[in-house]
């Protein structure tokens, strides 16, 4: 059994991190340093309400809302 270095500048292909192309083999140091989860999200929330008095004491209300995400 051998121990592989976590970082080796000779491995330019993997940004200096030692990696092997074997089943279930990974370098935990490279995973911590290289994995990034970045994302952006845009959300639009729009709501409208209108009230109309038909006769004194009798109102009608209208509501509209929309949510859009892209």
């Amino acid at each position: 059994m051998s121990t592989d270095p976590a970082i080796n500048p000779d491995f330019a292909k993997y940004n200096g991190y030692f990696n092997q192309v074997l089943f279930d083999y990974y370098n935990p140091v490279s995973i911590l340093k290289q994995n990034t989860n970045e994302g952006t999200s845009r959300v639009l929330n729009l709501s409208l309400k209108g009230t109309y008095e038909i006769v004194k004491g009798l109102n009608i209300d209208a509501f509209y809302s929309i949510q859009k995400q892209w």
Side-chain angles (χ1 to χ4, degrees):
M1 183 165 94
S2 68
T3 304
D4 297 318
I7 299 172
N8 187 340
D10 295 335
F11 294 106
K13 181 177 179 182
Y14 301 110
N15 294 328
Y17 294 102
F18 183 81
N19 281 315
Q20 288 288 335
V21 185
L22 297 173
F23 181 72
D24 284 345
Y25 184 89
Y26 61 92
N27 183 339
V29 176
S30 69
I31 290 173
L32 289 172
K33 297 289 184 179
Q34 292 179 323
N35 277 359
T36 57
N37 294 319
E38 296 178 2
T40 58
S41 180
R42 296 176 72 182
V43 178
L44 170 69
N45 289 316
L46 176 67
S47 62
L48 301 169
K49 177 187 175 190
T51 302
Y52 180 73
E53 186 174 25
I54 299 173
V55 292
K56 187 171 176 124
L58 180 61
N59 296 332
I60 187 167
D61 294 328
F63 299 96
Y64 178 76
S65 64
I66 187 171
Q67 181 178 19
K68 184 175 180 178
Q69 186 171 358
W70 64 97

